[in-house]
Amino acid sequence: CPERSVVTTITRKWLSIEEAASYVGLSTKTIRRRISSGDLKASRTGRVYRIHVDALDAMLQPVQVAR
């Protein structure tokens, strides 16, 4: 079937806590703590949290230190 030969790339924008932890190299416990403290924005559906990739990237941005 020629229609099935088309390859579609889907980029996941929302990650589970486990996927987010792996993405940024932190533990799941740290991700949960950052969500609880408000340092990391996440959406919750029922008992499942989803974290947007942009929120993880923003969390990892370098901070300017005053000297």
Side-chain angles (χ1 to χ4, degrees):
C1 196
E3 295 85 27
R4 292 195 181 258
S5 65
V6 176
V7 176
T8 304
T9 304
I10 299 173
T11 304
R12 290 195 58 189
K13 296 280 186 177
W14 294 90
L15 305 176
S16 68
I17 288 178
E18 292 78 15
E19 292 167 331
S22 177
Y23 179 78
V24 295
L26 298 172
S27 71
T28 56
K29 188 173 183 176
T30 301
I31 296 295
R32 289 181 191 279
R33 271 191 262 133
R34 298 256 175 120
I35 292 169
S36 294
S37 70
D39 293 336
L40 179 59
K41 292 183 180 181
S43 294
R44 184 175 169 185
T45 304
R47 293 174 32 182
V48 178
Y49 282 98
R50 294 288 178 200
I51 301 104
H52 199 274
V53 173
D54 292 343
L56 291 166
D57 291 338
M59 183 182 74
L60 298 176
Q61 291 300 315
V63 176
Q64 297 255 344
V65 178
R67 293 185 188 194

